[in-house]
Amino acid sequence: MGSFKGHALPGTFFYVTGIWWTLKAVLKYACKRHKRTSYLGSKALFHRVDIVEGIILVCMALTGMLGEQFITGGPYLSLYDYKKGQWVQLLGWHHTTMYFFFGLVGVADILCSTISSIPASLSKLTLSNALLVEAFIFYNHTHGREILDIFVHQLLVLVIIVTGLLAFLEFLIRHNVILELLRISFILLQGSWFWQIGFVLYPPSGGPAWDLTDHENIMFLTICLCWHYAFSFIIIGIIYAFVIWLVKSRLNSFCPSEVGLLKNVEREQESEEEM
């Protein structure tokens, strides 16, 4: 991960995953709100989606692990060099460990969707665990570096800890779309901040190098983090508006008799909930 590409890869993973989780969370909420009984809002569909999602997460984790181990100068699965008497690329092993725990999140998604005896909340607990492990790793990741390098990673650690705590709250409080979207907003923030770290520490070819000892750069990056967070809310808002519009337009496409039938079903379900 000690390169621009090394930071862009996890940043892309987190951002794509955050966008996908936003789509899924809002779609679940919209279908539940309108109490649709179509296949679009069925539990069977979401179970299949969770299985596919778990497989993709495992593939992402494997890609990151293999990339960290077998890039040029990587450890190539060697942890200790007995001839030289020293550890081999421990920073690469840090990143590999991080990817491994996120791979476990994918495994938990698959197991929770295929084995009925496993609680569905296990996936949230596994996600919280992976995030807190990631925070622990990055907290111990920058010893002996320049002040700006340490600062951008400290901000990342703060974001990861908050995300992990929110994921743990989801484990305790289920089916809360506001809490879920709040956690996703920090996932998006984490993804974009990985990209920002790449631009700060490893500017792409032709880009000016940042002064890693300039205090004003620290002040700017403090503001920059807030801008990143605001942008994550804009992305969530756009996706939310699009999905709600899509579900409502699908409802309006039914003929009047079908709409009346759906309204009757909704009234019956509401009366049952009140009882």
Side-chain angles (χ1 to χ4, degrees), residues 206-265:
W210 288 56
D211 185 352
L212 300 182
T213 60
D214 189 353
H215 183 71
E216 289 192 353
N217 284 336
I218 293 177
M219 295 177 65
F220 168 75
L221 287 170
T222 303
I223 304 171
C224 190
L225 180 72
C226 299
W227 293 346
H228 279 261
Y229 191 44
F231 187 72
S232 70
F233 271 105
I234 293 172
I235 294 297
I236 291 174
I238 292 172
I239 294 174
Y240 182 91
F242 171 74
V243 173
I244 294 298
W245 168 82
L246 184 65
V247 172
K248 285 185 176 180
S249 64
R250 184 175 174 83
L251 276 172
N252 293 333
S253 67
F254 283 94
C255 65
S257 61
E258 291 174 318
V259 173
L261 180 60
L262 285 172
K263 288 182 177 179
N264 290 333
V265 172

Side-chain angles (χ1 to χ4, degrees), residues 52-214:
V52 174
E53 178 186 306
I55 294 171
I56 293 175
L57 286 176
V58 170
C59 291
M60 285 182 174
L62 288 174
T63 300
M65 292 170 66
L66 294 175
E68 289 293 339
Q69 289 293 319
F70 297 104
I71 58 173
T72 303
Y76 289 88
L77 300 179
S78 176
L79 182 59
Y80 191 82
D81 189 337
Y82 289 95
K83 293 182 179 180
K84 296 181 180 180
Q86 62 185 21
W87 301 101
V88 179
Q89 292 289 336
L90 287 182
L91 290 180
W93 279 102
H94 272 198
H95 306 146
T96 301
T97 303
M98 177 194 78
Y99 282 119
F100 172 76
F101 275 89
F102 280 102
L104 293 181
V105 177
V107 173
D109 283 344
I110 296 171
L111 293 177
C112 291
S113 301
T114 54
I115 303 175
S116 58
S117 60
I118 296 180
S121 57
L122 176 64
S123 61
K124 298 298 183 184
L125 182 61
T126 310
L127 175 60
S128 175
N129 183 57
L131 288 163
L132 293 177
V133 167
E134 181 192 8
F136 175 73
I137 287 174
F138 277 108
Y139 179 77
N140 296 283
H141 197 65
T142 56
H143 295 300
R145 298 192 187 182
E146 297 288 352
I147 184 172
L148 189 63
D149 191 345
I150 295 173
F151 180 71
V152 292
H153 282 89
Q154 285 177 339
L155 292 178
L156 179 64
V157 169
L158 175 63
V159 172
I160 298 169
I161 290 175
V162 173
T163 315
L165 293 176
L166 288 172
F168 186 74
L169 281 177
E170 283 187 88
F171 166 70
L172 300 175
I173 307 171
R174 299 183 59 188
H175 307 304
N176 189 318
V177 68
I178 299 298
L179 182 60
E180 188 171 2
L181 290 178
L182 182 61
R183 186 255 305 166
I184 293 170
S185 71
F186 281 94
I187 292 289
L188 292 171
L189 175 59
Q190 187 179 162
S192 62
W193 197 247
F194 265 114
W195 275 86
Q196 184 67 56
I197 293 174
F199 278 104
V200 171
L201 302 181
Y202 310 98
S205 57
W210 288 56
D211 185 352
L212 300 182
T213 60
D214 189 353

